[in-house]
Amino acid sequence: MIIAIDGPAGSGKTTTARKVAQRLGFIHINTGAMYRGITLKFIREKVNLDDPLDIDRILHNTQLNFAGIDHGILYMDGEDISSEIALSYVTENVSRISALSKVRIKLVEFQRDMAQGRDVVLEGRDIGTVVFPNAEYKFYLIADIRVRAARRKKEIEASGEYITMEEVILFLKDRDKQDSSRHNSPLTKAEDAIELDTTDLNIVEQVNYILNIVN
């Protein structure tokens, strides 16, 4: 079974997806972490984004895997990068690199291979529209921009960095614009997805809402 959870940054999809997977005994695949991972690789390797051969070189020589409790640790080429991909310099570049056609094609391939023959919960921005358009269940999470910003600010500061609420709001608005307007796999709600506004919900309520439908 495939459960797809999409939505903008800070809508609560990662935590919700992880806990839904735990409750159902499914595998959780955090596709956003995968895009952050490949962004980190591009930054480290100083990839020329105008050079298709340079992009292909990275994409065909990078391995991404989830391991650990609840598949919560992302390994890239055998290295645990779970902490580093949360840092601001990765966040600031992920939307631009995620928009590259070659990157999206390769990572969608990774995601489909990971989910092959398994019961999984995937979350991201194009799971229900591109990666698994025939998923048995599709959810689209939304939330007020200030609520989303508060959540993202907490995540950023947990990694040891500081950022103002105003800076986070500006970043989220810019990210939303980039994600929804890009040519390749834009952020959009699948026609058959169930929309869930998480603004006034806690994580338990979000998870139970989805589980009640799935069960």
Side-chain angles (χ1 to χ4, degrees):
M1 178 187 292
I2 303 291
I3 299 175
I5 301 178
D6 289 310
S11 58
K13 59 186 181 297
T14 298
T15 304
T16 299
R18 182 173 67 249
K19 291 186 177 296
V20 166
Q22 289 173 349
R23 293 276 295 275
L24 292 173
F26 284 17
I27 291 172
H28 170 221
I29 298 178
N30 182 346
T31 66
M34 296 176 72
Y35 283 103
R36 285 174 171 270
I38 206 68
T39 296
L40 175 61
K41 185 71 171 281
F42 273 50
I43 293 171
R44 286 180 175 180
E45 298 287 329
K46 297 180 173 60
V47 176
N48 179 0
L49 300 185
D50 294 320
D51 185 347
L53 293 179
D54 204 19
I55 294 173
D56 284 339
R57 175 180 63 83
I58 295 298
L59 294 177
H60 288 92
N61 290 282
T62 302
Q63 188 61 47
L64 297 170
N65 299 101
F66 288 99
I69 299 175
D70 301 320
H71 288 75
I73 300 175
L74 178 62
Y75 286 87
M76 181 170 69
D77 304 327
E79 174 192 356
D80 178 356
I81 59 170
S82 301
S83 296
E84 191 169 358
I85 61 174
L87 298 179
S88 60
Y89 75 93
V90 175
T91 300
E92 291 164 1
N93 287 279
V94 66
S95 187
R96 181 166 57 104
I97 292 174
S98 296
L100 297 174
S101 178
K102 286 178 177 291
V103 170
R104 300 206 74 84
I105 289 171
K106 187 62 178 179
L107 264 65
V108 166
E109 179 184 313
F110 274 147
Q111 292 154 19
R112 288 172 175 164
D113 286 345
M114 287 181 179
Q116 182 67 36
R118 297 174 173 176
D119 291 322
V120 298
V121 180
L122 299 98
E123 43 85 11
R125 287 169 172 76
D126 62 349
I127 308 304
T129 53
V130 176
V131 186
F132 287 105
N134 296 318
E136 286 87 344
Y137 295 95
K138 299 179 186 179
F139 298 91
Y140 189 83
L141 274 54
I142 61 171
D144 177 79
I145 187 70
R146 295 198 67 85
V147 171
R148 291 167 52 205
R151 293 169 179 168
R152 182 47 56 91
K153 186 175 188 293
K154 185 177 180 181
E155 292 174 0
I156 292 171
E157 293 182 346
S159 66
E161 299 183 86
Y162 177 76
I163 187 169
T164 67
M165 179 68 87
E166 290 70 25
E167 288 174 321
V168 182
I169 290 174
L170 286 174
F171 167 77
L172 289 179
K173 287 181 176 179
D174 183 61
R175 181 72 192 272
D176 289 348
K177 182 179 180 180
Q178 290 185 55
D179 288 347
S180 60
S181 63
R182 68 186 177 216
H183 178 70
N184 299 303
S185 304
L187 168 66
T188 183
K189 175 179 174 290
E191 290 185 3
D192 55 346
I194 298 170
E195 184 171 286
L196 173 60
D197 188 336
T198 67
T199 300
D200 298 315
L201 300 180
N202 60 41
I203 190 61
V204 173
E205 292 170 328
Q206 293 170 206
V207 171
N208 286 341
Y209 179 90
I210 291 175
L211 289 175
N212 286 338
I213 292 174
V214 172
N215 287 332

